[in-house]
């Protein structure tokens, strides 16, 4: 973390922006600027976006497996010019979870793994369930779990059972944190589908219109279930000081209180507004020590850090300006204060000399810390503003025959035919197949425009000092 502006009392502070939105099979809006609050100060470091009911008809779902879905595209296209790279994503039918990070953080996001659990229609079709992403962030284990739980007023207990089932069944190939609740911090969010019980429609409308939302909290099913279920009490949530986010008439700020359809027609009960869309978090209790806790405490300055990572919620609200869905998106921003367990990338990479497509280029890399490297690891050439680890211009395999020793300087040649003719600002990144992450990035560097670009008529002669 380039952390001069973040350092706070021996810790580093990172800002995270989270969104949960049931998009009700709609296509994304053209402008998601206010949803992401792109110009907020201090600037954001991590974006975590959880969507539910992304269009997932069989034909559409298969096509989205071949290319990025339209929602991923709009987030990547919006965030990449701001220097955010997609760290990873996971999709299960209509559930989609995306994680983006500022480029400077990429080498410190390691051991990325994803998984999912189906709960809907006997578990065979992923219309309900949970998708999760876990990784180590500067040495601290974090997990993000995006859920879509059972609908309808009378299924509060089933929703809790489904969440418990998701927690029990999701596991990771990581010895320090094999289960969701083993992580130091867990963020649980999504269309959790909890409703407001008992109150009639007139009382709900009156309370919402007068801004007396606190009158509804005691009958919010999630808050009620937290009083009964010990494991839910470990999850924190900010106050519900925003209007219930379900159910709206599309393209309006008016609640849709029509009667919902069932397989047998209308059921006669009008829909009532509810806080179905929620964002909660859990810090691992101190009385459940783990290997991760021991590692975290030994990597601090004084070895006495009780909480190697602290979470503060700065904002919890909804954005009423979006109308493509019958749900409004919910936004939460957090400050993560942590003591970094390391601040040196595992791999150091540098371009050597001048790069242009007129001659073969050379790069060097050095493994600075032992890790489970592989001959399937590769080094990508990325244009500055790239969208994800797979968004490279070209790549070269690391040394094929044997893995390098720590601190050994390895030199690799890049064929001139693989180098962009028009040049520009680029960066090199070492991608680890085992850790599913970029472990080292070079500084940004200039690739010169090639003389071949002029010869092939791609640019006029005399531009940028070529062939003057």
């Amino acid at each position: 973390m380039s952390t001069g502006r973040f350092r706070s009392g021996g810790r580093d502070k990172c800002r995270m922006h989270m969104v949960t939105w049931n998009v009700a099979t709609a296509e994304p809006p053209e402008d998601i600027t206010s949803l992401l609050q792109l110009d907020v100060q201090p600037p954001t470091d991590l974006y975590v976006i959880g969507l539910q009911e992304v269009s997932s008809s069989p034909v559409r779902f298969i096509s989205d497996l071949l290319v990025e879905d339209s929602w991923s595209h709009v987030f990547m296209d919006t965030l990449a010019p701001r220097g955010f790279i997609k760290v990873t994503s996971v999709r299960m039918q209509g559930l989609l979870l995306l994680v983006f990070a500022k480029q400077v953080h990429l080498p410190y996001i390691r051991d990325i793994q994803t998984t999912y659990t189906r709960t809907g229609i006997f578990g065979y079709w992923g219309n309900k369930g949970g998708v999760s992403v876990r990784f180590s962030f500067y040495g601290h284990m974090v997990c993000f779990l995006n859920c879509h739980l059972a609908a309808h007023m009378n299924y509060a207990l089933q929703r809790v059972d489904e969440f418990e089932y998701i927690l029990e069944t999701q596991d990771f190939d990581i010895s320090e944190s094999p289960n969701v609740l083993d992580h130091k911090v867990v963020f649980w969010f999504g269309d959790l589908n909890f409703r407001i019980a008992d109150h009639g429609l007139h009382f709900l409308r009156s309370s919402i219109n007068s801004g007396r939302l606190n009158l509804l909290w005691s009958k919010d099913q999630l808050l009620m279930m937290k009083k009964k279920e010990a494991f839910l009490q470990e999850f924190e949530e900010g106050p519900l000081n925003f209007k219930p986010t379900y159910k709206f008439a599309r393209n309006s700020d008016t609640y849709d209180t029509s009667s919902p359809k069932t397989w047998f027609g209308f059921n006669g009960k009008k829909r009532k507004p509810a806080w179905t869309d929620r964002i909660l978090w859990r810090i691992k209790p101190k009385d459940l020590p783990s290997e991760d806790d021991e590692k975290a405490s030994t990597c601090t300055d004084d070895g006495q850090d009780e909480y190697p990572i602290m979470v503060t919620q700065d904002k919890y609200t909804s954005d009423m300006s979006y109308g493509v869905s019958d749900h409004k998106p919910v936004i939460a921003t957090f400050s993560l204060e942590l003591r970094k367990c390391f601040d040196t990338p595992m791999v150091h990479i540098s371009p050597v000399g001048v790069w242009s497509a007129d001659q073969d280029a050379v790069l060097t890399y050095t493994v600075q810390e032992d890790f489970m490297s592989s001959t399937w690891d590769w080094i990508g050439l990325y244009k500055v503003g790239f969208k994800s680890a797979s968004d490279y211009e070209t790549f070269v395999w690391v040394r094929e025959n044997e893995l390098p020793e720590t601190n050994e300087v390895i030199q690799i040649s890049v064929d001139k035919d693989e180098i962009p003719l028009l040049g520009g600002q680029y960066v090199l990144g070492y991608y680890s197949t085992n850790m599913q992450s970029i472990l080292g990035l070079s500084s940004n560097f200039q690739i010169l425009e090639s003389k071949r670009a002029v010869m092939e008529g791609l640019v006029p002669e005399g531009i940028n000092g070529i062939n003057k």
Side-chain angles (χ1 to χ4, degrees):
M1 227 182 269
S2 112
T3 53
R5 62 187 174 87
F6 293 120
R7 188 163 291 281
S8 169
R11 294 173 177 268
D12 290 287
K13 188 176 287 188
C14 168
R15 181 181 170 87
M16 182 172 68
H17 184 105
M18 295 186 67
V19 174
T20 180
W21 193 4
N22 182 322
V23 299
T25 72
E27 287 300 299
E30 290 183 11
D31 187 354
I32 55 172
T33 304
S34 72
L35 184 67
L36 298 177
Q37 299 175 356
L38 292 171
D39 298 316
V40 73
Q41 292 296 327
T44 301
D45 295 278
L46 296 173
Y47 279 98
V48 180
I49 295 119
L51 305 180
Q52 305 86 39
E53 290 195 30
V54 175
S55 181
S56 58
S57 64
V59 172
R60 180 64 178 271
F61 182 66
I62 290 169
S63 70
D64 286 348
L65 291 177
L66 302 176
V67 294
E68 295 278 7
D69 63 275
S70 57
W71 283 94
S72 295
H73 269 300
V74 74
F75 284 111
M76 292 166 73
D77 291 345
T78 303
L79 289 170
R82 302 289 187 121
F84 288 93
I85 290 88
K86 188 183 83 170
V87 173
T88 190
S89 65
V90 56
R91 172 88 184 266
M92 182 188 76
Q93 247 69 21
L95 276 167
L96 175 63
L97 176 53
L98 300 155
V99 178
F100 294 84
K102 272 286 191 185
Q103 181 177 314
V104 68
H105 299 305
L106 289 185
Y108 310 104
I109 298 176
R110 304 173 183 174
D111 294 318
I112 301 167
Q113 291 190 16
T114 65
T115 190
Y116 60 87
T117 301
R118 296 185 177 97
T119 59
I121 312 180
F122 310 109
Y124 291 112
W125 184 252
N127 62 321
K128 295 289 194 297
V131 293
S132 60
V133 168
R134 62 86 55 211
F135 51 78
S136 161
F137 185 62
Y138 289 92
H140 301 280
M141 306 298 179
V142 295
C143 184
F144 301 91
L145 174 56
N146 171 25
C147 290
H148 192 186
L149 303 180
H152 305 304
M153 177 68 74
N154 298 328
Y155 289 98
L157 277 173
Q158 183 176 332
R159 289 187 267 279
V160 174
D161 288 344
E162 285 183 352
F163 179 47
E164 203 163 13
Y165 173 74
I166 290 167
L167 292 177
E168 288 171 356
T169 55
Q170 293 201 349
D171 51 35
F172 304 97
D173 186 21
I174 299 288
S175 60
E176 298 96 331
S177 49
N179 304 115
V180 171
L181 296 183
D182 293 325
H183 291 77
K184 188 64 185 177
V185 184
V186 176
F187 292 91
W188 172 40
F189 54 105
D191 180 359
L192 308 185
N193 251 323
F194 289 100
R195 308 305 170 101
I196 300 171
D198 298 340
H199 291 312
L201 185 56
H202 176 76
F203 183 81
L204 281 171
R205 283 176 170 173
S206 172
S207 301
I208 293 168
N209 292 337
S210 63
R212 294 180 297 170
L213 300 174
N214 58 301
L215 298 180
L216 308 178
W217 294 346
S218 64
K219 295 300 181 180
D220 174 79
Q221 289 179 337
L222 178 53
L223 296 179
M224 293 167 70
M225 296 305 295
K226 282 186 73 175
K227 293 177 181 177
K228 301 176 182 178
E229 300 286 347
F231 83 101
L232 288 180
Q233 292 167 16
E234 296 177 358
F235 285 86
E236 299 181 58
E237 184 182 21
L240 298 169
N241 287 327
F242 52 91
K243 291 167 64 174
T245 52
Y246 175 83
K247 174 181 172 58
F248 284 84
R250 295 196 190 223
N251 300 308
S252 82
D253 292 337
T254 305
Y255 286 104
D256 174 9
T257 53
S258 61
S259 298
K261 259 189 174 182
T262 68
W263 286 350
F264 309 103
F266 292 98
N267 69 5
K269 295 180 181 178
K270 290 184 177 293
R271 288 188 177 96
K272 295 196 293 186
W275 285 291
T276 56
D277 311 286
R278 312 286 276 268
I279 298 174
L280 299 91
W281 72 98
R282 173 191 183 269
I283 296 177
K284 190 174 181 186
K286 285 187 291 181
D287 59 349
L288 296 175
S290 72
E291 243 178 276
D292 179 40
D293 296 331
E294 292 169 16
K295 287 183 180 180
S297 64
T298 55
C299 72
T300 59
D301 294 338
D302 54 15
Q304 301 297 317
D305 195 7
E306 268 191 335
Y307 291 101
I309 184 167
M310 295 175 63
V311 177
T312 304
Q313 188 177 68
D314 301 315
K315 181 181 292 186
Y316 191 32
T317 187
S318 63
D319 191 330
M320 292 287 163
S321 66
Y322 291 95
V324 298
S325 166
D326 54 358
H327 292 248
K328 300 298 183 182
V330 169
I331 295 166
T333 60
F334 295 92
S335 295
L336 307 182
E337 286 188 50
L338 52 87
R339 293 178 186 263
K340 295 187 294 186
C341 295
F342 43 75
D343 56 8
T344 304
M346 285 186 164
V347 180
H348 179 268
I349 316 171
S350 292
V352 176
V354 175
W355 280 48
S356 83
D358 294 326
Q359 60 189 20
D360 291 347
V362 174
L363 64 85
T364 62
Y365 76 92
T366 305
V367 174
Q368 302 186 122
E369 182 183 333
D370 189 33
F371 65 94
M372 196 168 63
S373 54
S374 162
T375 53
W376 291 102
D377 292 353
W378 42 267
I379 295 172
L381 175 67
Y382 298 95
K383 193 171 181 63
V384 170
F386 67 101
K387 298 176 181 178
S388 68
S390 58
D391 186 26
Y392 47 75
E393 301 294 316
T394 187
F395 74 92
V396 290
W397 298 109
V398 300
R399 192 162 68 180
E400 295 182 15
N401 297 327
E402 55 180 307
L403 297 174
E405 300 289 334
T406 304
N407 296 323
E408 179 185 0
V409 179
I410 307 297
Q411 183 170 293
I412 297 180
S413 177
V414 181
D415 191 290
K416 63 183 180 181
D417 292 331
E418 301 296 325
I419 297 174
L421 290 171
L422 295 179
Q425 284 286 311
Y426 287 84
V427 62
L428 295 165
Y430 183 106
Y431 185 82
S432 163
T433 340
N434 289 324
M435 301 184 80
Q436 297 286 297
S437 52
I438 291 176
L439 300 186
L441 287 164
S442 72
S443 300
N444 294 356
F445 67 100
Q446 180 76 26
I447 293 181
L448 300 180
E449 190 176 273
S450 168
K451 295 177 182 177
R452 289 162 52 203
V454 177
M455 294 172 59
E456 295 178 19
L458 298 177
V459 292
E461 187 171 346
I463 297 292
N464 293 338
I466 301 293
N467 280 354
K468 284 187 177 177

